[in-house]
Amino acid sequence: MDTHAGPLQAQPTRLDQLEQDFAALAPQLPEGPQTQALSVLHGMIQEVWRSGATAAPPVAGGRTLQDIADLHQHAPGMEGDAVSSPLKVGEAAPDFALPDANGNLVRLSDFRGRNVLLVFYPLDWSPGCSRQLDLYQQELDEFRRRNVEVVGVSVDSLYSHGAWAAVRGVTFPLLADFNPKGEVARRYQVWREADGFSERALYLIDAQGVIRYAHVSPKLQHVPDIYELFEALDGLVARKAA
């Protein structure tokens, strides 16, 4: 499984390269006070480096990037019963074209030859959506091992998607069903007219563009069971191998 450590995982820096250079040169130095002094200096730098790496840099208002990433923990709850029934298994999945966070137009038909998990979720920054997409990010290797591409869809703008993906560490596409608002959610029968956003819903679409699994969470706040989802994915892989 993916060992992704979180949205603000540290990236290799120039210090990593300098550390490697020091490790290569240290054995060549003769023993003596100078060598000991260099070792002490190296240890001091390591301690400063470690303590600095554990704290996210401050942003406006004294908050850190981690504070921004954790905003969903204090956001108002999102609750409610499902009001929609999904499209039926065996139907052709409606094609669409939506922009991703970089403004690139993504079509469902672009994924022909691969299975697609289409994830409709209500809104960026909300509590349940943050947990759900974090979970799929952590299990991304498991999805890809089954030849499944994960694609998120919500009514948020591409700019919201870009900021949210950056602080949450989400690397799979998030598509903006923004204009006309909710058009694709309507095509997939998961639109909540009174709320102005979609149900929490999943569609597993096979390599030929046919719906093989459809699920709408009975409660808006319920994140779908990951093990049930993997069972559906494994069933699709088994049918293909038969």
Side-chain angles (χ1 to χ4, degrees):
M1 293 186 180
D2 193 344
T3 56
H4 178 73
L8 300 177
Q9 187 176 28
Q11 298 297 316
T13 66
R14 173 63 174 155
L15 284 171
D16 293 292
Q17 183 59 56
L18 292 173
E19 168 65 19
Q20 294 175 17
D21 292 344
F22 180 86
L25 290 170
Q28 303 176 36
L29 297 173
E31 289 294 333
Q34 294 90 344
T35 305
Q36 295 175 11
L38 285 173
S39 296
V40 170
L41 181 60
H42 175 255
M44 292 168 60
I45 293 172
Q46 287 283 72
E47 288 302 312
V48 172
W49 182 14
R50 290 192 188 99
S51 62
T54 60
V59 294
R63 293 192 175 194
T64 67
L65 289 176
Q66 190 62 56
D67 291 332
I68 303 301
D70 291 340
L71 281 175
H72 70 282
Q73 297 179 4
H74 312 289
M78 180 177 286
E79 299 181 353
D81 295 331
V83 299
S84 310
S85 297
L87 297 174
K88 294 180 180 179
V89 171
E91 292 185 20
D95 200 9
F96 58 78
L98 292 175
D100 66 11
N102 297 313
N104 300 315
L105 208 59
V106 176
R107 294 175 173 82
L108 179 64
S109 54
D110 294 340
F111 296 94
R112 287 292 184 269
R114 289 169 286 173
N115 305 311
V116 175
L117 179 66
L118 198 58
V119 182
F120 286 94
Y121 64 96
L123 293 169
D124 294 342
W125 309 98
S126 63
C129 300
S130 297
R131 293 194 304 272
Q132 183 180 11
L133 269 67
D134 282 353
L135 176 60
Y136 296 163
Q137 178 67 37
Q138 292 164 10
E139 300 292 351
L140 208 53
D141 285 347
E142 289 297 308
F143 287 114
R144 289 175 175 166
R145 187 169 64 82
R146 295 167 168 88
N147 190 32
V148 174
E149 297 293 333
V150 180
V151 178
V153 180
S154 81
V155 296
D156 300 279
S157 73
L158 60 90
Y159 304 106
S160 177
H161 280 337
W164 194 50
V167 298
R168 300 303 309 165
V170 175
T171 61
F172 52 84
L174 301 179
L175 307 185
D177 194 10
F178 182 74
N179 186 30
K181 186 179 180 182
E183 179 184 10
V184 173
R186 287 183 174 90
R187 291 188 206 172
Y188 280 80
Q189 296 184 184
V190 292
W191 180 246
R192 297 174 64 95
E193 185 65 40
D195 295 316
F197 50 71
S198 78
E199 303 275 16
R200 192 179 305 282
L202 300 175
Y203 282 96
L204 177 58
I205 302 165
D206 71 13
Q208 289 71 48
V210 177
I211 297 171
R212 296 302 179 189
Y213 174 82
H215 173 84
V216 172
S217 291
K219 297 283 187 180
L220 193 59
Q221 63 270 29
H222 287 181
V223 174
D225 186 283
I226 190 71
Y227 298 107
E228 178 183 329
L229 179 55
F230 281 144
E231 285 181 11
L233 298 178
D234 290 337
L236 178 60
V237 172
R239 284 196 299 271
K240 185 176 179 181

